[in-house]
Amino acid sequence: MAESYAVFIDIDGTLTSKKGEIPAKNIKMLKKAQEQGHRVFINTGRSRGNIPDGLFEELSFADGIVCGNGCHIILDGRDVFKRSIPVSVLLKLIDYIAERPDIWCVFEGEKELFYIEDFKKTRRDNSGKTPILSAADYEKNYSQCAIEVVAAGPKLPADFEKTFENELNVFRLDTYADCVAHGCCKANGMRTVLDCYGIDRAHTIAIGDSENDRNMLEYAGTAVVMGNAPAAIKEIADFVTLTNDEAGVAHAVEKLIFGE
């Protein structure tokens, strides 16, 4: 590829290995691409508050980060776009979850993390998270906190999208769903970044592995799907790379940008 490209990369299951670590080869190859005039952007479903400080520091080499399925965009260290879930929708969601004892729920904020208080429903990974006792508790004590993503699972009822129509965008994965403000998605995050830098959509490469990457992959000029991705996502790939444990991001960049 002779032109300069913008590369958008998912984190979990893509840039990081199964252990949650970034293979050194991935970072080395992405930095090499930057040295050749290409731009590198992270495009993750995680809210800003759900990216640990250590991981965020590792990602500091990137030209920008699209967080929370497109609801928070940070370019060159500054916020260029933010859209949180309205408090009214969160209160409605808390009441909805409270009536369904089989669902766990985590609110991912720009800074804070919360969970619905019921240990029978959560994943029990509540370290560093504040419990929500009720809709009234949240409205009184935490409504000033910007919530970028709501993660809930293991499987939301069939009526969930209809119940929150025009209020939430819902991305269902195998064991949970990501919910963000209506209109937000990874593809729209990409579009905003491209507009900021004046980059043509045709000169983009997106690398992902799961259902919430689908719109990003379909929007990109070149869709790269990880070797560990499900078959349904591989069907939309222009190029299937190695797995996340095999530094598949580096392999894709090496092949597509450097032709090696």
Side-chain angles (χ1 to χ4, degrees):
M1 292 182 171
E3 303 284 350
S4 292
Y5 275 73
V7 186
F8 291 82
I9 309 151
D10 173 53
I11 294 179
D12 298 289
T14 300
L15 185 63
T16 57
S17 67
K18 290 178 183 176
K19 294 182 179 180
E21 301 168 347
I22 304 176
K25 189 174 180 181
N26 282 347
I27 295 180
K28 181 180 179 180
M29 190 58 62
L30 291 169
K31 286 183 176 179
K32 180 181 177 181
Q34 288 175 310
E35 291 169 359
Q36 298 298 316
H38 305 283
R39 291 190 180 272
V40 172
F41 303 97
I42 305 302
N43 200 350
T44 179
R46 289 175 177 255
S47 73
R48 171 61 189 92
N50 198 29
I51 302 176
D53 291 341
L55 178 57
F56 193 79
E57 180 63 28
E58 284 190 272
L59 299 174
S60 63
F61 72 90
D63 295 288
I65 300 181
V66 179
C67 306
N69 291 295
C71 72
H72 188 174
I73 302 174
I74 306 166
L75 300 179
D76 296 322
R78 63 185 181 89
D79 295 329
V80 300
F81 179 84
K82 283 186 184 182
R83 181 177 295 166
S84 56
I85 300 173
V87 173
S88 60
V89 177
L90 294 172
L91 297 177
K92 177 180 174 181
L93 183 55
I94 292 169
D95 286 337
Y96 180 94
I97 297 296
E99 295 176 357
R100 293 161 175 81
D102 57 328
I103 299 174
W104 57 260
C105 185
V106 174
F107 285 12
E108 299 181 20
E110 181 182 346
K111 298 178 180 178
E112 303 89 351
L113 299 174
F114 301 88
Y115 69 98
I116 303 296
E117 171 68 330
D118 186 339
F119 283 100
K120 294 179 181 179
K121 297 192 298 186
T122 64
R123 294 174 292 178
R124 299 182 184 272
D125 60 344
N126 295 323
S127 176
K129 301 180 179 69
T130 300
I132 297 171
L133 304 178
S134 65
D137 171 52
Y138 185 82
E139 185 173 26
K140 177 181 178 181
N141 298 304
Y142 310 114
S143 58
Q144 76 282 4
C145 301
I147 300 302
E148 299 179 343
V149 179
V150 172
K155 186 174 182 178
L156 293 176
D159 71 343
F160 187 83
E161 283 87 346
K162 183 66 176 178
T163 301
F164 291 91
E165 188 175 14
N166 298 323
E167 295 177 322
L168 295 172
N169 272 11
V170 182
F171 304 99
R172 290 181 181 257
L173 291 84
D174 289 341
T175 58
Y176 69 98
D178 274 343
C179 310
V180 296
H182 183 66
C184 291
C185 65
K186 291 188 176 186
N188 285 345
M190 284 179 66
R191 186 179 292 110
T192 298
V193 172
L194 298 181
D195 287 345
C196 286
Y197 286 98
I199 299 172
D200 193 295
R201 173 183 170 186
H203 292 162
T204 61
I205 299 170
I207 310 177
D209 74 300
S210 63
E211 192 61 40
N212 69 345
D213 296 317
R214 176 181 290 275
N215 59 78
M216 169 179 80
L217 294 165
E218 291 178 338
Y219 181 77
T222 302
V224 176
V225 174
M226 302 299 293
N228 48 284
I233 300 300
K234 288 180 179 176
E235 288 177 358
I236 62 175
D238 296 307
F239 180 80
V240 176
T241 187
L242 302 177
T243 69
N244 57 331
D245 280 341
E246 299 171 306
V249 168
H251 178 71
V253 171
E254 192 172 36
K255 293 291 184 182
L256 294 176
I257 290 182
F258 297 107
E260 298 178 5

